[in-house]
Amino acid sequence: GPPVAAPAPGPSHNLGLNVHSMTPATSPIGASGVAHRSQSSEGVSSLSSSPSNSLETQSQSLSRSQSMDIDSVSCEKSMSQVDVDSGIENMEVDENDRREKRSLTDKEPPSGSEVSEEQALQLVSKIFRVSWKDRDRDVIFLTSLCVQFKQNPKEVYSDFKDLIGQILMEVLMMSTQSRDENPFASLTATSQPIAAAARSPDRNLVLNTGSNPGTSPMFCSVGSFGSGSLSSVGGSGSTSVSDSCSDHFTIETCKETEMLNYLIECFDRVGIEERKAPKMCSQPAVSQLLSNIRSQCISHAALVLHGSLTQPRLLQQQSLLVPYMLCRNLPFGFIQELVRTTYQDEEVFKQIFIPILQGLALASKECSLDSDNFKYPLMALGELCEIKFGKTHPMCSLVVSLPLWLPKSLSPGAGRELQRLSYLGAFFSLSVFAEDDTKVVEKYFSGPAITLENNRVVSQSLQHYLELARLELFKILHNILLNGETREAALSYMAAVVNANMKKAQMQTDDRLVSTDGFMLNFLWVLQQLSTKIKLETVDPTYIFHPRCRIILPTDETRVKATMEDVTDWMAELYRDPSQFSEPKFPTECFFLTLHAHHLSILPSCRRYIRRLRAIRELNRTVEDLKNNESQWKDSPLATRHREMLKRCKTQLKKLVRCKACADAGLLDENFLRRCLNFYGMVIQLMLRILDPAYPNMKLPLNLDVPKVFAALPEFYVEDVAEFLFFIVQYAPQVLYEPCTQDIVMFLVVMLCNQNYIRNPYLIAKLVEVMFMTNPAVQPRTQKFFEMIENHPLSTKLLVPSLMKFYTDVEHTGATSEFYDKFTIRYHISTIFKSLWQNIAHHGTFMEEFNLLTLHLKCKDYWNEGPRLIDQQQARQSQLAQDERVSRSYLALATETVDMFHILTKQVQKPFLRPCCPSVHVLI
């Protein structure tokens, strides 16, 4: 009937609505569903109504919160893209019919007026698109209810909750019992719950479930989800191609899908009514009614997903909801309510959501960064893990209960196993590296020429994609850690990734046994985010020696100062009194896991990058040599062989250049490198506090007795800092200037000025090399950093004498290659001396050292030896390229050494004019 502006007071108790409390809707599956207040902001997902495929839109959609509040403006925009006309067909009805069929909510009653039972019935029939009075277009006629109302209308339902249940069961039973007819086929879609969210020209989603798809709510508009064909074709009840799970974005055409789609649309129409008539819908009775409608839609959807109305679904089958979730087109709040309704019944909860989790993992495994397809499984899992009731995250608990959350290792390749088999492995495996995913290099770097500008633009896009993916990965793991009952499982997984990949730190690693670089860098990024708010005061520096330390160090792990016997004795002494160990806290565990993750991810990736650059240089040289000497070999018997070699070298060179372009995107990400540098700044602060509790007010020299904790630390704690600095100075020097730079400078100075704290002379040499590489004569872009070192208050007194001492001590390193190593090390020191000599602050220190030391140079042997070495190298130059490099190094060292003495002896000659002592070792 027409709307009533001021309806006559009706018996409100007959509505069966509790206006004082929120009565839970009874779940048909036995779980109590908690009804939430209807909110005017409810509606279709904001992403599904925003088809823009720009990076900005992707960023916004990835960071969209799943809280129940949503900006009203975005709601209006969302609805503006959906064909809505209050549930009344707008194509085949003239204006008079439209006026006659206008429902109660088309004209909102005055504020404060009550809704009559008749008006409530109209609202219910409108939302469910049903009628028990007359057969009409665009509605489902309910024969059973019609008979009941005619026989005894007062006995049909006890309250509206009862009526809603009857309506839904009759509609759903009509769907299951009619073999050929689809009861929903005549309905015009008033919302688009399965409309494709992301659109691009290369992929279409077409759903044909009846003879007239244009008027069926199952019709899905053209959308895009990546490459390849996406279609589900067939009649009602037929089996679709999606049964093979070859495409997880394909919506299965079956009875269950028809029912699900109907329930989803009904759920969505509640939000539509709330937005159209917010005042009326805010009345307690109407609000309760709408909440009951939502809850009943969810409860019946759970029945459908469980297979209770058709045939039971196996856990191995992909959930019917997965395509909806991947297409980002479920109404806002639908999934949250589904979780709320089912999570207290463990068996039903698992039956519904384990297939969803498995479907998302399979979808992620098939995704790649060659399209933006990758983000949808991540977003769906992230939103599931974010759902919480009180302090409980039901989906987090379900995820860690999966058998493959942390599978046991079955082979020596524990790292690769964990990546391939663990539940989160597929999500963490997204990578831009060519060796991890060939699709990326084929799509972005397969053109005829790779220019620097093209590389830069593509790298920024890929880095943006990675940032989006990693942010979702962080949200997933962070929520699992926040959930008290799953925190231990999350920490165990983090530790397992670290322990299973210890072999990645080796110089020669079998990549088949460990996780990929892409996986490890994603893992590292997430751990970095978890560590950003850690305060060093809460970190226990002795954790690595704790009996309950999760990190398993190899028994032969080299320590900074102590021998393995020293470490064993010291730890035996510590363990005599276990009470002195406090239980490890999360900040400590997270910090050390992140530290070891750097050792197993960023550093191996840097080494691989440098090796690739070296291979490219060598191939370039080979190609150039073959081309330049073509006139010599083109007519020789070896011509065919040389041409084949030239062809192979060019092919390999092209491949390596493309791999390097991918690695530039994955590794030379300034934001990521800055995160690494800042974390190493925290590591340095921790070590400096161990060395001197007075930090940052340190004084040199340090105490002669090396603290046992520092002495027993793994040597790579210091070495990794030097190696990472060495890398960024060469390939990303702009990253160097961060707030942590001052601590890095202090650490270099302290270590170089207290060489007795480090047992391995090659580790000292690596620190010297870092200082050498930052010298403006070598790398002009790091002049400021070098000046910070040479002008540091702690360096002016001790740096020069310490370097002079190392210059002489390097004569005997104990290694078999010491004769050759000393040349390189002394070359570095002499270059540093030349720069320090220009600094007035170090002049005095040089003069003091000259007065204290007597330098003896046994030049004769060196100058007799030099020409012989050079002659030999020149003789072999045409045979081995390596000897050519050695020759250049020797000559450079000789020149550098003579140049250094030339500078130093301008003002100080006396120490150099004393007679040579035959017993003194050669210092060059």
Side-chain angles (χ1 to χ4, degrees), residues 394-440:
M395 292 307 303
C396 292
S397 300
L398 183 60
V399 168
V400 302
S401 73
L402 295 174
L404 289 180
W405 166 255
L406 185 53
K408 291 184 178 179
S409 176
L410 302 174
S411 73
R416 184 55 60 97
E417 272 188 18
L418 197 60
Q419 177 177 350
R420 291 285 177 85
L421 299 180
S422 70
Y423 180 75
L424 290 182
F427 298 93
F428 273 95
S429 293
L430 288 166
S431 175
V432 299
F433 292 105
E435 52 268 29
D436 299 347
D437 186 355
T438 56
K439 294 179 183 177
V440 174

Short mmCIF file of all heavy atoms in Angstrom, two decimals, residues 394-440:
data_model
loop_
_atom_site.label_atom_id
_atom_site.label_comp_id
_atom_site.label_asym_id
_atom_site.label_seq_id
_atom_site.Cartn_x
_atom_site.Cartn_y
_atom_site.Cartn_z
N PRO A 394 39.76 -14.95 15.79
CA PRO A 394 39.42 -16.34 15.44
C PRO A 394 40.19 -16.87 14.24
O PRO A 394 40.63 -18.03 14.24
CB PRO A 394 37.92 -16.28 15.16
CG PRO A 394 37.43 -15.05 15.83
CD PRO A 394 38.56 -14.08 15.79
N MET A 395 40.36 -16.04 13.20
CA MET A 395 41.01 -16.53 12.00
C MET A 395 42.50 -16.77 12.23
O MET A 395 43.08 -17.66 11.63
CB MET A 395 40.81 -15.55 10.84
CG MET A 395 39.38 -15.44 10.34
SD MET A 395 38.63 -17.02 9.91
CE MET A 395 39.78 -17.61 8.69
N CYS A 396 43.11 -15.96 13.08
CA CYS A 396 44.53 -16.19 13.41
C CYS A 396 44.69 -17.55 14.08
O CYS A 396 45.63 -18.30 13.77
CB CYS A 396 45.04 -15.08 14.32
SG CYS A 396 45.13 -13.46 13.53
N SER A 397 43.77 -17.86 14.99
CA SER A 397 43.84 -19.16 15.66
C SER A 397 43.65 -20.30 14.68
O SER A 397 44.30 -21.35 14.78
CB SER A 397 42.77 -19.23 16.77
OG SER A 397 42.96 -18.21 17.72
N LEU A 398 42.75 -20.10 13.72
CA LEU A 398 42.52 -21.16 12.73
C LEU A 398 43.73 -21.33 11.82
O LEU A 398 44.12 -22.47 11.51
CB LEU A 398 41.28 -20.82 11.90
CG LEU A 398 40.86 -21.87 10.87
CD1 LEU A 398 40.54 -23.19 11.57
CD2 LEU A 398 39.66 -21.39 10.07
N VAL A 399 44.35 -20.23 11.42
CA VAL A 399 45.52 -20.31 10.53
C VAL A 399 46.64 -21.12 11.17
O VAL A 399 47.22 -22.01 10.53
CB VAL A 399 46.02 -18.89 10.16
CG1 VAL A 399 47.39 -18.97 9.50
CG2 VAL A 399 45.04 -18.20 9.23
N VAL A 400 46.95 -20.84 12.43
CA VAL A 400 48.08 -21.53 13.06
C VAL A 400 47.73 -22.97 13.43
O VAL A 400 48.62 -23.76 13.75
CB VAL A 400 48.59 -20.78 14.31
CG1 VAL A 400 49.00 -19.36 13.95
CG2 VAL A 400 47.56 -20.77 15.42
N SER A 401 46.44 -23.31 13.40
CA SER A 401 46.05 -24.70 13.69
C SER A 401 46.16 -25.59 12.46
O SER A 401 46.03 -26.81 12.56
CB SER A 401 44.61 -24.74 14.22
OG SER A 401 43.67 -24.48 13.18
N LEU A 402 46.39 -25.00 11.30
CA LEU A 402 46.49 -25.78 10.07
C LEU A 402 47.71 -26.69 10.14
O LEU A 402 48.77 -26.30 10.65
CB LEU A 402 46.61 -24.86 8.85
CG LEU A 402 45.40 -23.97 8.55
CD1 LEU A 402 45.73 -23.02 7.40
CD2 LEU A 402 44.18 -24.80 8.21
N PRO A 403 47.61 -27.91 9.62
CA PRO A 403 48.76 -28.84 9.65
C PRO A 403 50.01 -28.28 8.98
O PRO A 403 51.12 -28.60 9.38
CB PRO A 403 48.23 -30.07 8.89
CG PRO A 403 46.75 -29.99 8.99
CD PRO A 403 46.42 -28.53 9.02
N LEU A 404 49.81 -27.43 7.98
CA LEU A 404 50.95 -26.89 7.25
C LEU A 404 51.35 -25.50 7.73
O LEU A 404 52.05 -24.78 7.02
CB LEU A 404 50.65 -26.84 5.75
CG LEU A 404 50.59 -28.21 5.05
CD1 LEU A 404 50.28 -28.04 3.58
CD2 LEU A 404 51.89 -28.99 5.23
N TRP A 405 50.89 -25.11 8.92
CA TRP A 405 51.37 -23.83 9.44
C TRP A 405 52.89 -23.88 9.59
O TRP A 405 53.61 -22.99 9.16
CB TRP A 405 50.72 -23.51 10.78
CG TRP A 405 51.42 -22.41 11.52
CD1 TRP A 405 52.23 -22.53 12.61
CD2 TRP A 405 51.39 -21.01 11.19
NE1 TRP A 405 52.71 -21.29 12.98
CE2 TRP A 405 52.21 -20.35 12.14
CE3 TRP A 405 50.77 -20.27 10.20
CZ2 TRP A 405 52.41 -18.96 12.10
CZ3 TRP A 405 50.97 -18.89 10.16
CH2 TRP A 405 51.78 -18.25 11.11
N LEU A 406 53.41 -24.95 10.20
CA LEU A 406 54.85 -25.11 10.37
C LEU A 406 55.19 -26.58 10.16
O LEU A 406 55.32 -27.35 11.11
CB LEU A 406 55.28 -24.65 11.77
CG LEU A 406 56.78 -24.64 12.07
CD1 LEU A 406 57.54 -23.86 11.02
CD2 LEU A 406 57.05 -24.05 13.44
N PRO A 407 55.30 -27.01 8.90
CA PRO A 407 55.55 -28.42 8.61
C PRO A 407 56.94 -28.86 9.05
O PRO A 407 57.88 -28.06 9.04
CB PRO A 407 55.41 -28.50 7.09
CG PRO A 407 55.72 -27.12 6.61
CD PRO A 407 55.25 -26.18 7.69
N LYS A 408 57.05 -30.10 9.44
CA LYS A 408 58.35 -30.64 9.85
C LYS A 408 59.22 -30.86 8.61
O LYS A 408 58.74 -31.21 7.55
CB LYS A 408 58.16 -31.96 10.59
CG LYS A 408 57.52 -31.80 11.96
CD LYS A 408 57.45 -33.13 12.70
CE LYS A 408 56.85 -32.95 14.09
NZ LYS A 408 56.76 -34.25 14.81
N SER A 409 60.51 -30.65 8.80
CA SER A 409 61.44 -30.81 7.69
C SER A 409 61.62 -32.29 7.37
O SER A 409 61.76 -33.13 8.26
CB SER A 409 62.79 -30.18 8.05
OG SER A 409 63.72 -30.41 7.03
N LEU A 410 61.63 -32.58 6.06
CA LEU A 410 61.76 -33.98 5.63
C LEU A 410 63.04 -34.23 4.83
O LEU A 410 63.30 -35.36 4.44
CB LEU A 410 60.55 -34.36 4.76
CG LEU A 410 59.17 -34.21 5.42
CD1 LEU A 410 58.08 -34.49 4.40
CD2 LEU A 410 59.04 -35.15 6.60
N SER A 411 63.82 -33.18 4.59
CA SER A 411 65.01 -33.33 3.76
C SER A 411 66.04 -32.29 4.18
O SER A 411 65.76 -31.42 5.01
CB SER A 411 64.64 -33.13 2.28
OG SER A 411 64.40 -31.76 2.03
N PRO A 412 67.25 -32.35 3.60
CA PRO A 412 68.26 -31.32 3.91
C PRO A 412 67.86 -29.93 3.45
O PRO A 412 68.39 -28.94 3.95
CB PRO A 412 69.51 -31.80 3.15
CG PRO A 412 69.27 -33.26 2.89
CD PRO A 412 67.81 -33.42 2.74
N GLY A 413 66.90 -29.85 2.52
CA GLY A 413 66.47 -28.54 2.01
C GLY A 413 65.37 -27.94 2.85
O GLY A 413 64.28 -27.62 2.34
N ALA A 414 65.64 -27.74 4.14
CA ALA A 414 64.61 -27.26 5.05
C ALA A 414 64.09 -25.88 4.68
O ALA A 414 62.89 -25.60 4.80
CB ALA A 414 65.15 -27.25 6.49
N GLY A 415 64.98 -25.02 4.20
CA GLY A 415 64.57 -23.67 3.85
C GLY A 415 63.60 -23.65 2.68
O GLY A 415 62.57 -22.97 2.71
N ARG A 416 63.91 -24.41 1.62
CA ARG A 416 63.03 -24.44 0.46
C ARG A 416 61.71 -25.17 0.81
O ARG A 416 60.65 -24.77 0.34
CB ARG A 416 63.74 -25.14 -0.70
CG ARG A 416 62.97 -25.14 -2.01
CD ARG A 416 62.56 -23.74 -2.46
NE ARG A 416 63.67 -22.86 -2.68
CZ ARG A 416 64.21 -22.62 -3.86
NH1 ARG A 416 63.76 -23.23 -4.93
NH2 ARG A 416 65.21 -21.76 -3.96
N GLU A 417 61.80 -26.19 1.63
CA GLU A 417 60.60 -26.90 2.07
C GLU A 417 59.64 -25.96 2.80
O GLU A 417 58.44 -25.95 2.54
CB GLU A 417 60.97 -28.04 3.03
CG GLU A 417 61.27 -29.34 2.34
CD GLU A 417 61.44 -30.46 3.35
OE1 GLU A 417 61.00 -30.30 4.50
OE2 GLU A 417 62.02 -31.49 3.00
N LEU A 418 60.20 -25.19 3.71
CA LEU A 418 59.37 -24.28 4.51
C LEU A 418 58.67 -23.27 3.61
O LEU A 418 57.50 -22.94 3.82
CB LEU A 418 60.24 -23.56 5.54
CG LEU A 418 59.52 -22.89 6.71
CD1 LEU A 418 58.74 -23.90 7.51
CD2 LEU A 418 60.53 -22.17 7.59
N GLN A 419 59.37 -22.79 2.60
CA GLN A 419 58.77 -21.83 1.67
C GLN A 419 57.67 -22.47 0.84
O GLN A 419 56.60 -21.87 0.63
CB GLN A 419 59.84 -21.24 0.75
CG GLN A 419 59.27 -20.28 -0.29
CD GLN A 419 60.34 -19.64 -1.14
OE1 GLN A 419 61.53 -19.78 -0.85
NE2 GLN A 419 59.95 -18.95 -2.19
N ARG A 420 57.92 -23.69 0.36
CA ARG A 420 56.97 -24.34 -0.54
C ARG A 420 55.77 -24.94 0.19
O ARG A 420 54.67 -24.99 -0.35
CB ARG A 420 57.68 -25.46 -1.30
CG ARG A 420 58.71 -24.96 -2.30
CD ARG A 420 58.03 -24.38 -3.54
NE ARG A 420 58.99 -23.83 -4.49
CZ ARG A 420 59.62 -24.55 -5.41
NH1 ARG A 420 59.42 -25.84 -5.48
NH2 ARG A 420 60.46 -23.97 -6.25
N LEU A 421 55.97 -25.41 1.43
CA LEU A 421 54.92 -26.16 2.10
C LEU A 421 54.16 -25.39 3.17
O LEU A 421 52.98 -25.63 3.40
CB LEU A 421 55.50 -27.44 2.73
CG LEU A 421 56.16 -28.43 1.77
CD1 LEU A 421 56.69 -29.63 2.54
CD2 LEU A 421 55.17 -28.88 0.70
N SER A 422 54.81 -24.46 3.85
CA SER A 422 54.14 -23.76 4.95
C SER A 422 53.00 -22.90 4.41
O SER A 422 53.05 -22.43 3.28
CB SER A 422 55.13 -22.91 5.74
OG SER A 422 55.55 -21.80 4.99
N TYR A 423 52.00 -22.67 5.26
CA TYR A 423 50.82 -21.94 4.79
C TYR A 423 51.19 -20.54 4.31
O TYR A 423 50.72 -20.09 3.26
CB TYR A 423 49.76 -21.85 5.90
CG TYR A 423 48.55 -21.09 5.43
CD1 TYR A 423 47.66 -21.69 4.56
CD2 TYR A 423 48.33 -19.76 5.79
CE1 TYR A 423 46.56 -20.99 4.06
CE2 TYR A 423 47.25 -19.05 5.30
CZ TYR A 423 46.35 -19.68 4.44
OH TYR A 423 45.28 -18.97 3.93
N LEU A 424 52.02 -19.83 5.06
CA LEU A 424 52.36 -18.47 4.68
C LEU A 424 53.41 -18.41 3.57
O LEU A 424 53.68 -17.34 3.03
CB LEU A 424 52.88 -17.69 5.89
CG LEU A 424 51.86 -17.33 6.97
CD1 LEU A 424 52.52 -16.52 8.08
CD2 LEU A 424 50.68 -16.55 6.38
N GLY A 425 53.99 -19.55 3.24
CA GLY A 425 55.07 -19.57 2.25
C GLY A 425 54.68 -18.97 0.92
O GLY A 425 55.43 -18.19 0.32
N ALA A 426 53.47 -19.32 0.45
CA ALA A 426 53.03 -18.80 -0.86
C ALA A 426 52.89 -17.28 -0.83
O ALA A 426 53.21 -16.60 -1.80
CB ALA A 426 51.71 -19.44 -1.24
N PHE A 427 52.42 -16.75 0.28
CA PHE A 427 52.21 -15.31 0.38
C PHE A 427 53.54 -14.55 0.46
O PHE A 427 53.66 -13.45 -0.06
CB PHE A 427 51.36 -14.99 1.62
CG PHE A 427 49.98 -15.60 1.58
CD1 PHE A 427 49.73 -16.83 2.16
CD2 PHE A 427 48.95 -14.96 0.93
CE1 PHE A 427 48.48 -17.40 2.12
CE2 PHE A 427 47.68 -15.51 0.88
CZ PHE A 427 47.44 -16.74 1.47
N PHE A 428 54.54 -15.15 1.10
CA PHE A 428 55.84 -14.52 1.24
C PHE A 428 56.72 -14.70 0.00
O PHE A 428 57.80 -14.14 -0.06
CB PHE A 428 56.59 -15.08 2.46
CG PHE A 428 56.28 -14.37 3.75
CD1 PHE A 428 55.31 -14.85 4.60
CD2 PHE A 428 56.95 -13.21 4.10
CE1 PHE A 428 55.01 -14.20 5.79
CE2 PHE A 428 56.67 -12.55 5.28
CZ PHE A 428 55.69 -13.04 6.13
N SER A 429 56.27 -15.49 -0.97
CA SER A 429 57.14 -15.85 -2.09
C SER A 429 57.10 -14.86 -3.24
O SER A 429 57.84 -15.03 -4.22
CB SER A 429 56.76 -17.24 -2.61
OG SER A 429 57.06 -18.23 -1.64
N LEU A 430 56.25 -13.85 -3.18
CA LEU A 430 56.21 -12.86 -4.26
C LEU A 430 57.59 -12.22 -4.43
O LEU A 430 58.19 -11.77 -3.46
CB LEU A 430 55.17 -11.78 -3.95
CG LEU A 430 53.72 -12.22 -4.06
CD1 LEU A 430 52.80 -11.21 -3.40
CD2 LEU A 430 53.32 -12.43 -5.52
N SER A 431 58.08 -12.17 -5.67
CA SER A 431 59.45 -11.72 -5.88
C SER A 431 59.60 -11.06 -7.25
O SER A 431 58.91 -11.42 -8.20
CB SER A 431 60.41 -12.90 -5.77
OG SER A 431 61.73 -12.52 -6.09
N VAL A 432 60.50 -10.12 -7.32
CA VAL A 432 60.83 -9.49 -8.61
C VAL A 432 62.12 -10.07 -9.19
O VAL A 432 62.49 -9.73 -10.32
CB VAL A 432 60.99 -7.96 -8.47
CG1 VAL A 432 59.71 -7.32 -7.99
CG2 VAL A 432 62.14 -7.60 -7.53
N PHE A 433 62.82 -10.91 -8.46
CA PHE A 433 64.09 -11.47 -8.96
C PHE A 433 63.83 -12.48 -10.07
O PHE A 433 62.92 -13.30 -9.97
CB PHE A 433 64.86 -12.12 -7.82
CG PHE A 433 65.37 -11.15 -6.79
CD1 PHE A 433 64.75 -11.04 -5.55
CD2 PHE A 433 66.45 -10.33 -7.06
CE1 PHE A 433 65.20 -10.14 -4.60
CE2 PHE A 433 66.91 -9.42 -6.12
CZ PHE A 433 66.29 -9.32 -4.89
N ALA A 434 64.63 -12.40 -11.11
CA ALA A 434 64.43 -13.25 -12.28
C ALA A 434 64.56 -14.72 -11.93
O ALA A 434 63.85 -15.57 -12.49
CB ALA A 434 65.44 -12.88 -13.36
N GLU A 435 65.47 -15.05 -11.02
CA GLU A 435 65.66 -16.46 -10.66
C GLU A 435 64.50 -17.00 -9.83
O GLU A 435 64.34 -18.22 -9.72
CB GLU A 435 66.98 -16.66 -9.91
CG GLU A 435 67.17 -15.76 -8.72
CD GLU A 435 67.90 -14.48 -9.09
OE1 GLU A 435 67.78 -14.02 -10.24
OE2 GLU A 435 68.58 -13.94 -8.21
N ASP A 436 63.68 -16.10 -9.26
CA ASP A 436 62.52 -16.53 -8.47
C ASP A 436 61.26 -16.60 -9.31
O ASP A 436 60.39 -17.44 -9.08
CB ASP A 436 62.27 -15.56 -7.30
CG ASP A 436 63.44 -15.50 -6.33
OD1 ASP A 436 64.33 -16.37 -6.42
OD2 ASP A 436 63.47 -14.59 -5.49
N ASP A 437 61.11 -15.69 -10.27
CA ASP A 437 59.88 -15.60 -11.05
C ASP A 437 60.20 -15.06 -12.45
O ASP A 437 60.48 -13.88 -12.62
CB ASP A 437 58.88 -14.67 -10.34
CG ASP A 437 57.52 -14.64 -11.02
OD1 ASP A 437 57.38 -15.26 -12.09
OD2 ASP A 437 56.59 -14.01 -10.49
N THR A 438 60.15 -15.94 -13.44
CA THR A 438 60.50 -15.53 -14.80
C THR A 438 59.44 -14.63 -15.42
O THR A 438 59.73 -13.92 -16.39
CB THR A 438 60.67 -16.77 -15.69
OG1 THR A 438 59.47 -17.55 -15.65
CG2 THR A 438 61.83 -17.63 -15.21
N LYS A 439 58.22 -14.64 -14.87
CA LYS A 439 57.15 -13.83 -15.46
C LYS A 439 57.47 -12.34 -15.39
O LYS A 439 57.12 -11.57 -16.28
CB LYS A 439 55.82 -14.09 -14.74
CG LYS A 439 55.29 -15.51 -14.95
CD LYS A 439 53.99 -15.70 -14.17
CE LYS A 439 53.48 -17.12 -14.30
NZ LYS A 439 52.25 -17.31 -13.49
N VAL A 440 58.13 -11.93 -14.31
CA VAL A 440 58.45 -10.51 -14.14
C VAL A 440 59.43 -10.04 -15.20
O VAL A 440 59.22 -9.01 -15.85
CB VAL A 440 59.00 -10.25 -12.72
CG1 VAL A 440 59.46 -8.80 -12.59
CG2 VAL A 440 57.94 -10.56 -11.67
#
